[in-house]
Amino acid sequence: MMDMHAPLPPSAAPRGLHPSALPWQAEVQDAPPQPSWLQSLQIRVERAVRWEFWPSWLYYGPIVLWILWLGLKHRSPMAFTAANPALEAGGMVGEKKHLALAPLQNNAPDLVAKFTLIESADATERTAAAMAFAQIQGMPLVLKPNVGQRGRGVFVARTQAEVRDYMTRFKGDVIAQRHIGGEEFGVFVARAPGELQPRILSIVHKTFPTVTGNGTLSLRELILADARARLISSLLFERWAHELDRVPAIGDVVKLVEIGAHCRGSLFLDAAEHATPALVATLTRLLDAVPGYAFGRMDLRVPSVAHFRRGEGLQVLELNGVSAESAHIYHPGTPLLTGYKAMFHQWSTAFAIGAAYEKQGVATTSAWSLLQQFLADLRRSETWF
């Protein structure tokens, strides 16, 4: 039996200042101080003119119309749900992460961040299972719901108490995954039936906003003084509520965000120039290891950009399906029409691949079933942070 008090091996984890409040602890004793009315107005204007910050309902209108047109064109409105036979509804919504990661862990374990599925059970049992995994893989430990998207519910636990709190608060099936350091990328691939190598539709380099202490300004002041961080200040003020008055020492770098999701504050940079034959060769081996996975974005980490270009040291965090985005479009300054062009191409490819699989006998998901899954996902979103 594992010694719950034995020291845990560290993984390649960042050190330094971290929020003391857990993300699901929404209420704090004192509401975090907000920017002045003038600063708030300036931030609103800056966000309004940058479409990457527009609400989904506003941006996605033309894309939905394009999807409807593609359904008519292919005479199969739900063909896109067959683009990934390995994932439920092609990975549109409600797919289980472990079903995509398990084949990769079995067939190409060097290409995936080690994980284990912890099913819904007593919180004490779940905590013990997570800590047993951490005893082997090290701390911190990445915890996330087995069904989720856009960074929802993802948490980097650094102590056993945090693991226990997470397992007590959230009842559903959870993925516990080894924490991987280094650079994070999202690579959107597509491979039609019969193709040997995948096509790369998008590469995004996911970076994490930081501020550097000068020994004078508080964390709050540093956030508002940073051109990027100030645009997500409301999110950061809530996350760092207990640390906003702290004054980081000279040279101290504070990593404000550590989850690679745009809606959680990450900065996405177009990295198409890193597509090399060596990278494609590794991506081909990765796809071969997961039969039935043909279209979507692979979120992964590597030791360095040089490793990424050589196709070496890739550790997959998640395999996302058809609802994933060609996330390079969120590169700051990308013209709106360029973003739409990329998304139209992505969905055209999804329908083409789905239609090809449908001809081979792969079943599509009905519109009614997909609607039910969307509604279920909305209910899940009320549970997770």
Side-chain angles (χ1 to χ4, degrees):
M1 183 176 179
M2 184 193 75
D3 181 2
M4 296 292 285
H5 300 288
L8 296 171
S11 66
R15 296 180 180 274
L17 183 64
H18 300 288
S20 59
L22 301 178
W24 51 88
Q25 295 173 337
E27 295 184 2
V28 295
Q29 291 183 350
D30 298 307
Q34 298 299 315
S36 67
W37 70 269
L38 181 58
Q39 288 175 318
S40 296
L41 178 61
Q42 291 173 334
I43 291 171
R44 289 194 184 96
V45 172
E46 289 179 45
R47 287 175 62 94
V49 299
R50 299 175 67 163
W51 67 265
E52 64 170 301
F53 293 111
W54 289 3
S56 295
W57 61 265
L58 178 60
Y59 172 69
Y60 262 88
I63 298 173
V64 171
L65 294 177
W66 182 251
I67 292 172
L68 294 175
W69 157 245
L70 289 171
L72 294 173
K73 177 183 177 182
H74 287 272
R75 297 181 180 180
S76 179
M78 307 304 292
F80 64 91
T81 63
N84 282 312
L87 302 179
E88 185 176 3
M92 183 64 187
V93 64
E95 72 276 15
K96 297 178 175 61
K97 300 179 189 295
H98 81 282
L99 293 180
L101 292 175
L104 187 57
Q105 186 158 270
N106 292 333
N107 300 328
D110 59 307
L111 294 178
V112 64
K114 297 295 186 294
F115 81 96
T116 187
L117 174 65
I118 301 177
E119 297 180 342
S120 181
D122 176 76
T124 301
E125 295 178 11
R126 284 149 53 87
T127 301
M131 296 311 297
F133 179 77
Q135 192 70 36
I136 299 171
Q137 299 299 333
M139 291 287 277
L141 196 62
V142 179
L143 302 174
K144 51 190 171 184
N146 192 32
V147 178
Q149 55 188 340
R150 298 182 180 275
R152 186 176 64 204
V154 180
F155 176 62
V156 181
R158 292 181 166 81
T159 66
Q160 181 176 332
E162 290 181 346
V163 172
R164 184 188 305 111
D165 202 349
Y166 186 98
M167 295 298 185
T168 301
R169 174 68 177 81
F170 304 109
K171 311 299 184 183
D173 293 353
V174 167
I175 294 284
Q177 192 170 47
R178 176 181 175 84
H179 183 278
I180 304 295
E183 303 292 329
E184 184 165 341
F185 288 87
V187 185
F188 206 115
V189 296
R191 184 167 70 169
E195 291 183 337
L196 298 179
Q197 292 185 324
R199 288 165 281 154
I200 296 179
L201 303 187
S202 167
I203 301 180
V204 63
H205 187 187
K206 301 182 178 185
T207 63
F208 306 97
T210 64
V211 291
T212 302
N214 60 9
T216 302
L217 296 180
S218 67
L219 179 60
R220 175 180 180 274
E221 293 169 321
L222 290 171
I223 289 173
L224 291 177
D226 184 87
R228 177 71 184 186
R230 69 196 307 268
L231 297 179
I232 55 172
S233 56
S234 59
L235 174 69
L236 296 176
F237 281 7
E238 180 179 344
R239 185 74 182 93
W240 292 86
H242 294 298
E243 287 73 36
L244 290 176
D245 292 329
R246 293 183 60 172
V247 178
I250 297 175
D252 278 1
V253 178
V254 181
K255 188 176 182 180
L256 299 172
V257 176
E258 59 183 352
I259 304 300
H262 187 267
C263 61
R264 298 286 291 272
S266 293
L267 173 62
F268 284 10
L269 303 176
D270 188 356
E273 71 273 15
H274 298 316
T276 63
L279 175 62
V280 172
T282 300
L283 295 176
T284 300
R285 186 164 74 90
L286 198 157
L287 284 179
D288 289 343
V290 189
Y293 182 74
F295 183 86
R297 193 185 66 241
M298 307 173 179
D299 293 330
L300 53 88
R301 287 193 175 183
V302 290
S304 68
V305 174
H307 282 81
F308 182 70
R309 292 179 60 85
R310 296 195 302 266
E312 298 175 353
L314 275 64
Q315 296 278 282
V316 170
L317 309 178
E318 289 191 8
L319 295 176
N320 304 286
V322 292
S323 63
E325 296 171 312
S326 296
H328 73 284
I329 64 175
Y330 293 117
H331 184 107
T334 298
L336 177 61
L337 292 180
T338 299
Y340 278 132
K341 181 179 179 180
M343 291 300 293
F344 288 173
H345 175 62
Q346 174 188 315
W347 277 99
S348 295
T349 306
F351 268 89
I353 293 177
Y357 273 117
E358 189 178 9
K359 289 180 180 178
Q360 293 185 357
V362 176
T364 60
T365 301
S366 70
W368 174 251
S369 178
L370 199 61
L371 174 62
Q372 294 299 107
Q373 292 182 42
F374 269 115
L375 294 176
D377 192 65
L378 287 175
R379 291 191 292 270
R380 281 190 295 267
S381 66
E382 297 174 356
T383 301
W384 298 96
F385 54 90

